[in-house]
């Protein structure tokens, strides 16, 4: 169940499109073009007969017309036009004008380019060779050129370009396409977008890398903030006007809105203050998918990553409690995540104190109840909070002095009878940064909630699957659904938890999977659906009852998915009303400094609910309203989850999920005696 559906990798192909002049078109033989090149068609030649005959007739007519026109021209007075100092372009033939696909059908695939991961594709102005940036076996990128053979053919010649002790960091083409630039190890090389410069400044400079290096150390960009703020404001206003899904702007006088907030822009002294003005202006649309963020803000650390990390507070990925009695911090909880999915999406998710982490270095992990009394030789109680000693330590080794109250002491059991007899033991750990810590605790909550759901369902006498979707975006959302759905698709109930879901765009895929219906079942000689054999068709169709958990922080596509479940009659919604964003967006209306005031671009509707699907500004109302008490939630109780289990229990009592009964004895295929004695059967049995 780890790969339940076919997966087709996204591939990009390179095509060649021959440009044939009208003059060459007359001398072109379509038969030779198809069968004379490297694309031999074999026995399909007979299919070309009618086409070839028609082509020969057309060529004969055109030849006669040309001969007649030539005779007339010779008899008429000739007029010589003045010479043109500019070369004339070749007149390209687009083929038979009655065939709209004639020109595009000439394209053919350059199939000899090796399969790989390419992130840049470019062609020089005066050369047909392709320049690509390919990912090498080491994970680094390198420039590769492919020179093409003559038409019609797809042969190529590969030429990698490698610089000694240089790492490719950036590349691109100027906006007028006259220049190309490559950056290796912080040094940028710029040259003309032609074959001669490419060979001179890149290919022939691989050993030294000294030609046409741009001096970027003294580059300075002078910006007048007051004027830039005016431009940013007007651009944001203009793009909201042009991108917003309703051309009438919801009947808001948008020109007046520009004039209303413009005087405030002149009073902005910081980029953050401009954001405040943009928010007020954009909020006049009363649309939920309007976000203002990004841009160039004043940075007190001047972009110095070392200074930023020095002030970042690291974490041991555990819950610690200060204890004056023990003279340190008691380990109250070490989060654990799903052991079946670790690493998760290529990342290991463990607490630095976990045995799964420390055993890799020959150490033993801590247990809940152990006490940390020192950090890097400094007493833990010497500072107001132990995390002050972890500042700037993310990803760096530190030494903890630990009293192993619960885990086995390295000094023997006889010294553990009296508190004062415990001897601090050194443990070397690597603290986590804030993002990794958040991910660890989130994953631990998901694992704990899944186990709780299964435990509650078991107590009520039925089986359930549970998954939490943090978002509906890309690999994170897709992987979460696959991990949660396919191992439990055959359960009687399924809980999809989209609380705190921050949206994305994979709702249609989820709804497609959940709409599958089982219409027939498989029975083998020794196995069936109840003994581990094949299940039913459609494969992986969920046959049970579905409950969706939602709350006030379920947003965007999390709401779209919830509304889809409701509208399609797939399940019931439990929780609280959602955020209320029913107009979708692509977030591509960027400002000049990289900031954005997003524009809701794509309105949603249907015949029943109208614009916004009843989501925009209102949110999705659950079928069963129940809120979680903050104090109870902190203590580990989840009322919404418990209600989902109750809903499924009552639902299953009224509509149990059962397998169809066995059809009974198989068909009798034996030849009966009374049939054998039939007059139609001869003495020889025939």
């Amino acid at each position: 169940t780890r790969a339940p559906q076919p997966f087709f990798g996204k591939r990009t192909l390179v095509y060649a499109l021959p440009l044939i002049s009208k003059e060459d078109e007359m001398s072109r033989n379509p038969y030779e073009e198809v069968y004379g090149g490297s694309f031999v068609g074999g026995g399909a030649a007979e299919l070309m007969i009618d086409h070839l005959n028609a082509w020969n007739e057309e060529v004969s007519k055109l030849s006669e017309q040309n001969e007649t026109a030539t005779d007339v021209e010779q008899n008429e007075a000739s007029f010589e036009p003045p010479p043109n100092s500019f070369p004339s372009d070749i007149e390209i033939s687009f083929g038979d004008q009655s065939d709209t696909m004639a020109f595009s059908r000439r394209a053919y695939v350059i199939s000899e380019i090796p399969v790989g991961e390419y992130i840049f594709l470019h062609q020089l102005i005066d050369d047909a060779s392709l320049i690509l940036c390919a990912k090498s076996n080491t994970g680094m990128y390198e420039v590769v050129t492919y020179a093409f053979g003559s038409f019609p053919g797809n042969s190529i010649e590969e030429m990698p370009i490698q610089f000694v002790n240089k790492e490719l960091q950036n590349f691109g083409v100027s906006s007028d396409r006259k220049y190309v630039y490559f950056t290796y190890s912080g040094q940028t090389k710029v040259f003309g977008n032609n074959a001669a410069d490419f060979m001179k400044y890149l290919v022939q400079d691989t050993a030294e890398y000294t030609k046409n290096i741009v001096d970027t150390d003294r580059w300075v960009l002078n910006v007048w903030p007051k004027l830039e703020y005016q431009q940013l404001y007007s651009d944001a206003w203009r793009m909201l006007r042009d991108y917003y899904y309703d051309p009438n702007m919801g009947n808001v006088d948008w020109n007046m809105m520009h004039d209303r907030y413009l005087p405030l822009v002149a009073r902005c002294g910081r980029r953050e203050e401009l954001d405040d003005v943009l928010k007020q202006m954009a909020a006049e649309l009363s649309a939920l998918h309007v976000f203002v963020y990004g841009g160039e803000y004043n940075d007190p650390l001047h972009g110095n990553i070392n200074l930023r990390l020095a002030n970042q507070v690291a974490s041991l990925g555990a819950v610690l409690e200060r204890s004056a009695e023990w003279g340190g911090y008691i380990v109250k909880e070490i989060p654990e995540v799903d052991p079946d999915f670790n690493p998760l999406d290529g990342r290991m998710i463990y607490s630095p104190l976990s045995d799964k982490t420390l055993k890799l270095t020959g150490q033993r992990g801590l247990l809940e109840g152990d006490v940390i009394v020192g950090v890097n030789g400094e007493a833990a109680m010497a500072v107001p909070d132990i995390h002050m000693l972890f500042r700037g330590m993310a990803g760096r080794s530190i030494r903890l002095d630990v009293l192993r109250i619960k885990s086995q002491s390295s000094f023997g059991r006889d010294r553990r009878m009296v508190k004062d007899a415990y001897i601090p033991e050194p443990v070397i750990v690597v603290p986590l940064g804030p993002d990794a810590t958040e991910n660890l605790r989130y994953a631990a909550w998901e694992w704990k909630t899944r186990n709780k759901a299964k435990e509650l369902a078991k107590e009520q006498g039925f089986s359930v699957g549970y998954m939490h979707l943090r978002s509906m975006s890309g690999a994170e959302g897709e992987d979460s659904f696959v991990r949660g759905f396919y191992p439990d698709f055959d359960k009687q109930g399924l809980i999809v938890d989209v609380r705190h879901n921050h949206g994305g765009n994979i709702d249609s895929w989820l709804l497609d999977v959940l709409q599958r219906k089982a219409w027939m079942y498989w029975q083998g000689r020794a196995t069936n659906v109840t003994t581990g054999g094949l299940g039913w068709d459609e494969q992986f169709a969920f046959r049970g009852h579905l409950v969706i958990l939602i709350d006030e922080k379920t947003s965007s596509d999390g709401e779209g998915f919830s509304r889809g479940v409701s509208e399609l009659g797939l399940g019931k919604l439990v929780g609280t009303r959602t955020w209320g964003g029913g107009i979708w967006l692509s977030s591509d209306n960027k400002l000049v400094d990289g900031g954005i005031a997003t524009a809701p671009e794509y309105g949603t509707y249907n015949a029943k609910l109208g614009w916004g699907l009843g989501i925009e500004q209102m949110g999705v109302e659950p079928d069963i309203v129940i809120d979680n008490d903050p104090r109870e939630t902190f203590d580990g109780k989840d009322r919404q989850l418990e209600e989902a289990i109750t809903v499924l229990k009552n639902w299953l009592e009224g509509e149990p999920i059962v397998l169809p009964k066995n059809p009974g004895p198989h068909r009798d295929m034996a030849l009966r005696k009374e049939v054998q004695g039939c007059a139609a059967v001869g003495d020889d049995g025939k």
Side-chain angles (χ1 to χ4, degrees):
T1 60
R2 298 309 188 203
Q5 290 181 305
F7 174 78
F8 302 98
K10 185 177 181 180
R11 297 185 60 186
T12 300
L13 299 176
V14 177
Y15 286 80
L17 179 60
L19 300 179
I20 301 175
S21 68
K22 286 191 174 182
E23 181 179 352
D24 292 337
E25 179 80 12
M26 293 302 303
S27 61
R28 184 176 62 92
N29 187 321
Y31 183 87
E32 293 180 356
E33 182 177 296
V34 175
Y35 298 104
S38 59
F39 315 105
V40 180
E46 64 272 12
L47 300 178
M48 294 281 292
I49 296 300
D50 293 338
H51 175 70
L52 289 173
N53 291 336
W55 177 81
N56 287 325
E57 292 179 3
E58 191 68 23
V59 169
S60 299
K61 293 179 181 178
L62 291 174
S63 298
E64 293 176 359
Q65 294 175 2
N66 289 337
E67 291 177 359
T68 303
T70 301
D71 294 339
V72 172
E73 291 175 358
Q74 291 176 350
N75 295 328
E76 294 179 350
S78 61
F79 172 74
E80 292 292 337
N84 192 341
S85 59
F86 298 99
S88 59
D89 291 334
I90 297 175
E91 191 172 1
I92 302 299
S93 171
F94 292 92
D96 185 359
Q97 296 301 301
S98 63
D99 183 1
T100 58
M101 299 295 292
F103 183 63
S104 60
R105 259 196 290 269
R106 292 177 179 171
Y108 59 92
V109 177
I110 306 298
S111 59
E112 298 301 314
I113 297 179
V115 176
E117 183 178 339
Y118 301 95
I119 57 174
F120 177 67
L121 186 148
H122 177 64
Q123 194 169 30
L124 299 172
I125 293 177
D126 58 351
D127 190 89
S129 300
L130 280 181
I131 304 172
L132 298 98
C133 290
K135 192 173 185 179
S136 65
N137 296 330
T138 62
M140 309 300 290
Y141 284 91
E142 59 183 25
V143 178
V144 181
T145 62
Y146 294 101
F148 297 121
S150 59
F151 168 78
N154 64 348
S155 61
I156 61 172
E157 181 181 350
E158 179 179 351
M159 182 178 67
I161 302 173
Q162 297 177 333
F163 290 90
V164 180
N165 298 325
K166 295 287 184 180
E167 177 185 346
L168 179 62
Q169 296 176 319
N170 204 351
F171 39 79
V173 185
S174 63
S175 57
D176 60 3
R177 304 193 65 80
K178 292 183 179 180
Y179 298 94
V180 182
Y181 68 89
F182 289 89
T183 301
Y184 283 87
S185 301
Q187 293 181 300
T188 299
K189 177 189 291 285
V190 179
F191 50 87
N193 188 17
N194 56 74
D197 280 7
F198 180 77
M199 293 298 296
K200 178 180 179 180
Y201 296 113
L202 194 69
V203 177
Q204 298 174 3
D205 193 29
T206 56
E208 299 180 356
Y209 196 80
T210 57
K211 298 178 181 179
N212 273 35
I213 303 298
V214 179
D215 181 8
T216 59
D217 294 337
R218 294 185 292 177
W219 275 11
V220 177
L221 178 64
N222 292 317
V223 176
W224 192 343
K226 288 288 185 180
L227 294 180
E228 186 180 50
Y229 293 167
Q230 297 279 349
Q231 177 187 349
L232 293 170
Y233 173 80
S234 295
D235 285 349
W237 173 87
R238 187 180 299 109
M239 285 192 284
L240 281 168
R241 179 198 65 189
D242 296 342
Y243 281 68
Y244 193 62
Y245 84 107
D246 178 9
N248 293 322
M249 305 301 288
N251 291 328
V252 174
D253 189 337
W254 199 237
N255 291 327
M256 186 182 72
M257 292 303 110
H258 180 275
D259 297 339
R260 171 182 292 179
Y261 293 100
L262 183 59
L264 296 178
V265 179
R267 303 180 64 180
C268 292
R270 295 167 55 88
R271 182 63 171 81
E272 291 85 347
E273 293 176 352
L274 177 64
D275 277 357
D276 290 339
V277 178
L278 294 178
K279 291 174 184 177
Q280 294 180 54
M281 181 261 291
E284 296 286 351
L285 293 172
S286 299
L288 271 292
H289 272 110
V290 175
F291 310 111
V292 176
Y293 60 90
E296 295 178 344
Y297 302 109
N298 293 330
D299 184 2
L301 303 179
H302 305 288
N304 190 314
I305 187 64
N306 293 324
L307 289 177
R308 188 177 301 279
L309 294 177
N311 290 278
Q312 189 180 79
V313 178
S315 171
L316 297 178
V319 178
L320 307 177
E321 182 180 277
R322 188 180 177 94
S323 173
E325 178 185 2
W326 286 100
Y329 284 76
I330 302 175
V331 179
K332 302 297 292 184
E333 180 187 358
I334 299 177
E336 294 292 340
V337 301
D338 189 343
D340 288 338
F341 296 105
N342 212 340
L344 183 64
D345 294 334
R347 303 187 306 272
M348 299 299 294
I349 305 180
Y350 290 125
S351 166
L353 304 183
S354 170
D355 187 65
K356 296 182 179 65
T357 301
L358 293 178
K359 70 180 180 182
L360 299 176
T361 60
Q363 303 179 94
R364 292 182 297 109
L366 274 62
L367 296 178
E368 297 172 6
D370 290 339
V371 180
I372 301 173
V373 296
V375 178
N376 284 340
E378 187 170 353
M381 300 296 285
V383 292
D385 189 285
I386 191 174
H387 291 90
M388 296 178 67
L389 303 176
F390 300 148
R391 181 176 296 172
M393 293 297 174
R396 302 172 63 181
S397 298
I398 65 172
R399 167 178 164 159
L400 301 179
D401 295 319
V402 179
L403 301 179
R404 291 188 177 272
I405 308 299
K406 293 298 182 180
S407 58
Q408 184 177 356
S409 173
S410 301
F411 299 105
R413 295 182 178 274
D414 58 314
R415 305 185 63 90
R416 300 179 60 183
M417 303 303 296
V418 183
K419 181 186 70 173
D420 295 339
Y422 287 106
I423 299 176
E425 302 179 22
V427 178
I428 306 300
V429 300
V430 180
L432 303 174
D435 292 341
T437 302
E438 179 186 1
N439 191 37
L440 168 66
R441 297 201 61 81
Y442 203 146
W445 175 84
E446 290 175 305
W447 173 233
K448 184 187 297 183
T449 306
R450 182 173 186 264
N451 289 337
K452 184 65 174 179
K454 290 183 173 291
E455 178 185 332
L456 292 172
K458 186 176 181 180
E459 292 174 357
Q460 299 297 328
F462 67 94
S463 61
V464 72
Y466 169 89
M467 76 183 80
H468 174 75
L469 303 180
R470 304 186 191 186
S471 75
M472 299 284 185
S473 298
E476 181 184 61
E478 295 166 357
D479 292 351
S480 294
F481 182 78
V482 169
R483 287 191 296 264
F485 177 78
Y486 290 103
D488 286 332
F489 79 97
D490 55 352
K491 300 298 188 290
Q492 294 168 288
L494 178 64
I495 299 173
V496 181
D497 190 348
V498 291
R499 295 176 294 182
H500 286 65
N501 184 290
H502 52 264
N505 58 2
I506 64 170
D507 63 291
S508 59
W509 175 57
L510 271 60
L511 294 171
D512 174 64
V513 174
L514 293 173
Q515 286 185 90
R516 292 182 176 184
K517 302 295 182 183
W519 66 275
M520 70 95 156
Y521 299 81
W522 305 92
Q523 170 74 58
R525 177 69 177 268
T527 61
N528 57 37
V529 67
T530 64
T531 58
L534 291 173
W536 46 77
D537 198 355
E538 297 171 296
Q539 282 88 349
F540 300 102
F542 174 63
R543 301 174 58 252
H545 298 310
L546 175 67
V547 169
I548 309 298
L549 290 179
I550 59 177
D551 66 5
E552 66 280 1
K553 292 189 177 181
T554 301
S555 61
S556 193
D557 199 36
E559 299 176 280
F561 168 70
S562 303
R563 177 65 80 198
V565 169
S566 179
E567 287 297 293
L568 295 171
L570 301 178
K572 298 179 180 180
L573 310 181
V574 174
T576 58
R577 188 179 63 162
T578 62
W579 176 61
I583 310 172
W584 290 22
L585 75 169
S586 59
S587 300
D588 53 5
N589 53 315
K590 296 283 188 178
L591 298 173
V592 68
D593 71 343
I596 191 173
T598 61
E601 301 174 50
Y602 309 106
T604 57
Y605 68 95
N606 65 15
K608 174 184 174 183
L609 298 169
W611 286 109
L613 298 175
I615 300 174
E616 180 65 24
Q617 300 181 353
M618 294 179 285
V620 178
E621 290 282 354
D623 299 309
I624 302 170
V625 179
I626 186 166
D627 201 356
N628 277 347
D629 180 85
R631 178 68 231 190
E632 291 179 346
T633 301
F634 180 81
D635 293 335
K637 184 178 178 63
D638 192 337
R639 286 187 181 184
Q640 293 169 336
L641 179 66
E642 294 173 358
E643 181 64 23
I645 295 297
T646 301
V647 169
L648 287 173
K649 175 179 177 295
N650 296 334
W651 201 348
L652 286 166
E653 289 176 353
E655 301 178 29
I657 304 300
V658 295
L659 292 170
K661 293 182 179 180
N662 190 301
H666 296 285
R667 294 175 60 185
D668 187 352
M669 306 301 293
L671 190 61
R672 300 295 181 186
K673 290 184 178 180
E674 55 270 20
V675 177
Q676 294 176 353
C678 178
V681 180
D683 295 338
D684 58 358
K686 297 182 178 179

